[in-house]
Amino acid sequence: MTSLSSVSGSVMSVYSGDFGNLEVKGNIQFAIDYVDSLKELHVFVAQCKDLAAADIKKQRSDPYVKTYLLPDKGKMGKKKTLVAKKTLNPVYNEILRYKIDRQILKTQKLNLSVWHRDTFKRNSFLGEVELDLETWDWDNKQNKQLKWYPLKRKTAPVAFEAENRGEMKLALQYVPEPMPGKKLPTTGEVHIWVKECLDLPLLRGSHLNSFVKCTILPDTSRKSRQKTRAVGKTSNPVFNHTMVYDGFRPEDLTEACVELTVWDHYKLSNQFLGGLRIGFGTGKSYGTEVDWMDSTSEEVALWEKMVNSPNSWIEATLPLRMLLIAKMSK
């Protein structure tokens, strides 16, 4: 658990979002507020009106709203409303929450985008609004009121992540003393139970033959790598595979990160579908700055719960995301 390998990687750009076929029109009504007691940004998404119709013939769309905090999309994760069916005037009345310090909020932009989700889970862009939070007056009562904003075309470069990479259902357990009663102190174990994946993207028609790889960073050596068997012909594969990693001292839990990646195996190559990085997301490991310590708030929450509840399985369903994959050492 001590080797720090050099971490580098190339950005893989795979997008399944469709930007540009539909006109951008209509408005969105929302309000934002910072709740000091919870250290949370609340985005209240009320409704949209006069959206573009993805289904021209029937004059309707199946829209949902997605939010990001920029510039660091991956860190805080995306939040989404439910999909409203067959309407150009959807009503949501949902609160999307971000755990974030008020000081950090001043360095962020809030991006709200509206998307149509079709029956094949493909997404079409219907417009966006961006708010610069650096100059936002959080104490002004007017700013807490619902307001209408016109939807705009996409100005930012397209994000290098697929719109929907699916989710993974998993459970983690930290076992501090695998053999209690031993005179000599033993190191702990981390158990990773990969249960299933849901809604994996279909990159080559309806064929999918997926498996999950696990690495405990910073150790990228071959002995750190474990993987599930491949499950074919489904975008909702059930793995039910448990991986055990030993040699964890309590202090290693703050420095290590569980990297789970999902791959589609086809002929002689594997194509990356999405992944998770579960750790404290501090940006550092054993005193060195590393770009793989970039867990989202949901991934951090799972790791924290595991560390604070030894000897019990902590379950979560987390959205898979684009990762810059670390180069593996031989």
Side-chain angles (χ1 to χ4, degrees):
M1 294 302 304
T2 50
S3 68
L4 266 177
S5 307
S6 66
V7 176
S8 64
S10 62
V11 175
M12 300 175 192
S13 47
V14 181
Y15 358 106
S16 67
D18 168 8
F19 289 83
N21 288 350
L22 297 175
E23 64 175 319
V24 169
K25 62 195 277 272
N27 300 276
I28 182 168
Q29 188 189 41
F30 67 93
I32 63 173
D33 191 15
Y34 187 78
V35 183
D36 277 304
S37 58
L38 298 171
K39 285 199 163 53
E40 281 184 356
L41 167 67
H42 287 190
V43 183
F44 181 73
V45 181
Q47 59 183 326
C48 302
K49 70 175 183 198
D50 303 329
L51 294 177
D55 183 334
I56 311 281
K57 215 187 273 172
K58 293 185 176 155
Q59 276 299 299
R60 64 192 192 193
S61 294
D62 292 348
Y64 69 95
V65 178
K66 183 176 70 170
T67 60
Y68 278 114
L69 287 175
L70 302 172
D72 194 359
K73 271 186 153 182
K75 185 80 177 160
M76 301 300 296
K78 67 180 164 198
K79 312 284 178 190
K80 297 193 284 198
T81 66
L82 295 170
V83 177
K85 294 287 191 191
K86 301 176 182 171
T87 177
L88 302 179
N89 302 294
V91 175
Y92 299 103
N93 290 332
E94 286 185 54
I95 296 176
L96 306 177
R97 297 175 168 84
Y98 287 91
K99 258 223 178 317
I100 185 168
D101 276 340
R102 192 191 265 251
Q103 281 308 103
I104 297 171
L105 211 49
K106 287 185 179 157
T107 64
Q108 306 287 302
K109 287 190 170 80
L110 174 68
N111 178 281
L112 286 94
S113 51
V114 185
W115 297 78
H116 159 72
R117 153 94 34 122
D118 74 11
T119 42
F120 302 108
K121 298 218 161 51
R122 287 185 306 233
N123 302 279
S124 302
F125 177 73
L126 298 176
E128 71 172 14
V129 174
E130 214 158 86
L131 289 189
D132 192 341
L133 301 182
E134 185 186 358
T135 53
W136 193 261
D137 182 357
W138 297 100
D139 300 320
N140 182 343
K141 288 255 163 50
Q142 289 295 107
N143 277 347
K144 297 183 200 297
Q145 306 297 315
L146 281 169
K147 278 196 198 125
W148 285 100
Y149 297 83
L151 289 166
K152 301 198 163 118
R153 292 180 176 283
K154 190 153 255 322
T155 47
V158 175
F160 57 78
E161 61 130 24
E163 180 41 36
N164 177 35
R165 289 183 177 271
E167 298 175 312
M168 184 186 295
K169 189 174 180 181
L170 73 163
L172 299 187
Q173 178 176 214
Y174 171 52
V175 182
E177 289 186 76
M179 296 193 276
K182 279 253 170 152
K183 292 244 168 85
L184 293 166
T186 56
T187 53
E189 293 175 348
V190 170
H191 298 209
I192 301 153
W193 179 4
V194 177
K195 297 189 174 188
E196 60 184 313
C197 290
L198 308 158
D199 286 341
L200 291 179
L202 295 165
L203 299 184
R204 45 187 184 95
S206 58
H207 305 288
L208 196 57
N209 187 29
S210 59
F211 67 95
V212 178
K213 253 196 279 198
C214 182
T215 306
I216 305 288
L217 299 170
D219 184 0
T220 57
S221 68
R222 200 167 283 285
K223 70 179 188 333
S224 162
R225 281 175 254 171
Q226 296 190 38
K227 63 182 183 182
T228 68
R229 72 192 190 291
V231 176
K233 297 180 179 165
T234 175
S235 52
N236 300 294
V238 175
F239 298 105
N240 261 332
H241 184 106
T242 304
M243 308 175 192
V244 175
Y245 286 90
D246 57 13
F248 271 91
R249 302 163 305 178
E251 59 267 33
D252 292 322
L253 293 170
T254 55
E255 311 296 340
C257 173
V258 173
E259 182 177 86
L260 288 160
T261 49
V262 187
W263 301 81
D264 178 23
H265 179 67
Y266 179 59
K267 293 188 175 165
L268 296 173
S269 67
N270 295 320
Q271 186 155 14
F272 176 74
L273 297 177
L276 304 171
R277 286 211 185 108
I278 303 164
F280 280 124
T282 56
K284 286 188 175 166
S285 173
Y286 298 105
T288 301
E289 287 196 14
V290 289
D291 49 11
W292 48 259
M293 212 26 139
D294 65 347
S295 302
T296 65
S297 50
E298 290 171 282
E299 291 164 350
V300 171
L302 173 58
W303 192 248
E304 277 177 354
K305 275 186 202 157
M306 180 203 77
V307 171
N308 295 331
S309 321
N311 301 310
S312 49
W313 285 107
I314 308 297
E315 189 179 290
T317 301
L318 299 175
L320 296 166
R321 59 189 178 98
M322 184 67 219
L323 298 178
L324 299 182
I325 305 294
K327 287 268 194 298
M328 292 296 164
S329 54
K330 292 287 176 277

